[in-house]
Amino acid sequence: MLRRITNLVVGGVLVLTLGVITAAAFTKTVTIKVEGMKCAKCSGSVAKALKATEGVETAEVSSDKGEAVIKYDDQKLDETKLREVINKTGFKAVEQPSQ
Amino acid sequence: MMIAFSAASVLGQQAKAPQFVLRDINGRTVRLSDHKGKVVLINFWATWCPPCRAEMPDLVKLQREYAREGLQIIGITYPPEKLDRVRRFARNLKVNYPIILGTRQLKARFSSEETLPQTVVINRDGKVSEIISGILLHEEFDEKIKPLLMKNGEGEIRNVKTDH
């Protein structure tokens, strides 16, 4: 009985660890320069549109720095899609070499 | 441009929308009360605001596609802008709903929040059902505005197209 419980606990921990490792492996963070975010009043739309996109986990947008820091699931979308979402808000995601 | 508007009111959800009578950029009188029974979107925007410009073609499309269901969009520039610039902009975008030159005072009647664009959603009963900050997303239209269009004046469900 004790052995069975131990096996169950060990199995559960393994599954959980694997799940965390897998999720972490799929999560990427990218910083995208955004042109035109001169007014703080209107740059909120960038964060709003990004956060509403499936696969985006977090999006921090700074009009001062002119950039968006996005954490996303790279199994669900890629940087190209993120740039499209930004461009649809009327600003321009600047193309730059991948880091 | 402004002819009159109602006394100050504190706007929250389900608050009665402040009435106004204003002239649009083409000199036509726009009364909020003329749209009683419709779902009205009051869109605060500025020509220099990139998301405002980006969403306007979508608003034009929504106005065209949902007019028969009782959707009426009214654009109000905020902060104040020059008439010729706004007129040129509206003409280029083929805006199919009234555009009014706003004032800080008028904007304050609806919301104290400074975000642009900003869309005040008024239901068929003339009450504010939502204030949407930032660009109007398709999902937001589906979740927050389409259900209002689906109900007629008596609260009965109507058939409303599903795509836009």
Side-chain angles (χ1 to χ4, degrees):
Chain A
M1 182 68 177
L2 184 66
R3 193 181 174 129
R4 201 168 169 182
I5 291 171
T6 311
N7 284 344
L8 271 173
V9 170
V10 170
V13 169
L14 269 172
V15 167
L16 203 68
T17 311
L18 261 173
V20 170
I21 291 170
T22 311
F26 293 157
T27 300
K28 268 191 173 178
T29 302
V30 64
T31 300
I32 298 178
K33 286 277 174 202
V34 184
E35 261 179 24
M37 284 201 303
K38 286 169 189 158
C39 84
K41 279 180 194 173
C42 34
S43 54
S45 289
V46 178
K48 179 181 176 180
L50 285 168
K51 285 174 185 170
T53 305
E54 199 193 344
V56 171
E57 290 167 14
T58 61
E60 303 291 331
V61 178
S62 164
S63 56
D64 290 338
K65 292 181 185 169
E67 66 181 28
V69 181
I70 308 148
K71 197 184 273 189
Y72 66 99
D73 182 341
D74 75 347
Q75 296 296 296
K76 292 184 178 164
L77 76 170
D78 57 16
E79 269 191 57
T80 307
K81 170 71 181 166
L82 293 171
R83 288 174 196 283
E84 272 175 31
V85 171
I86 292 170
N87 290 338
K88 277 185 184 166
T89 65
F91 297 101
K92 180 159 175 46
V94 180
E95 289 289 342
Q96 53 191 359
S98 51
Q99 296 156 9
Chain B
M1 276 290 153
M2 186 166 0
I3 302 170
F5 54 78
S6 71
S9 60
V10 179
L11 274 192
Q13 275 199 356
Q14 294 306 315
K16 202 83 182 159
Q19 294 299 307
F20 59 75
V21 185
L22 298 152
R23 285 199 201 284
D24 72 6
I25 54 172
N26 298 313
R28 284 187 285 260
T29 302
V30 179
R31 284 185 192 83
L32 186 57
S33 59
D34 284 349
H35 303 295
K36 197 178 170 193
K38 290 185 177 180
V39 175
V40 180
L41 306 187
I42 298 188
N43 177 245
F44 288 97
W45 68 286
T47 56
W48 44 263
C49 157
C52 304
R53 293 197 303 258
E55 79 172 353
M56 283 181 85
D58 281 344
L59 295 179
V60 168
K61 194 172 169 216
L62 290 173
Q63 180 60 74
R64 188 173 59 240
E65 294 186 357
Y66 290 94
R68 288 181 66 183
E69 272 80 28
L71 180 71
Q72 180 60 58
I73 300 174
I74 298 172
I76 301 181
T77 57
Y78 173 80
E81 291 211 51
K82 287 189 175 154
L83 176 61
D84 56 345
R85 182 176 163 82
V86 176
R87 261 190 193 148
R88 197 167 51 242
F89 193 87
R91 197 167 44 236
N92 289 344
L93 273 178
K94 297 185 170 63
V95 174
N96 54 359
Y97 51 85
I99 298 280
I100 292 161
L101 292 190
T103 61
R104 289 181 193 279
Q105 204 181 8
L106 174 63
K107 170 71 168 55
R109 304 276 164 166
F110 287 90
S111 161
S112 56
E113 208 187 308
E114 291 287 302
T115 310
L116 278 176
Q118 196 171 132
T119 303
V120 179
V121 183
I122 300 169
N123 67 19
R124 294 187 193 273
D125 299 325
K127 290 180 178 166
V128 173
S129 71
E130 200 81 42
I131 296 182
I132 297 170
S133 287
I135 200 163
L136 177 65
L137 303 173
H138 290 179
E139 299 89 319
E140 283 177 309
F141 181 82
D142 289 347
E143 285 168 23
K144 296 173 178 175
I145 300 168
K146 208 182 269 181
L148 302 177
L149 290 166
M150 288 172 74
K151 287 181 186 170
N152 66 15
E154 285 74 48
E156 292 162 351
I157 303 296
R158 300 147 52 103
N159 283 329
V160 170
K161 57 190 292 185
T162 50
D163 299 324
H164 60 268

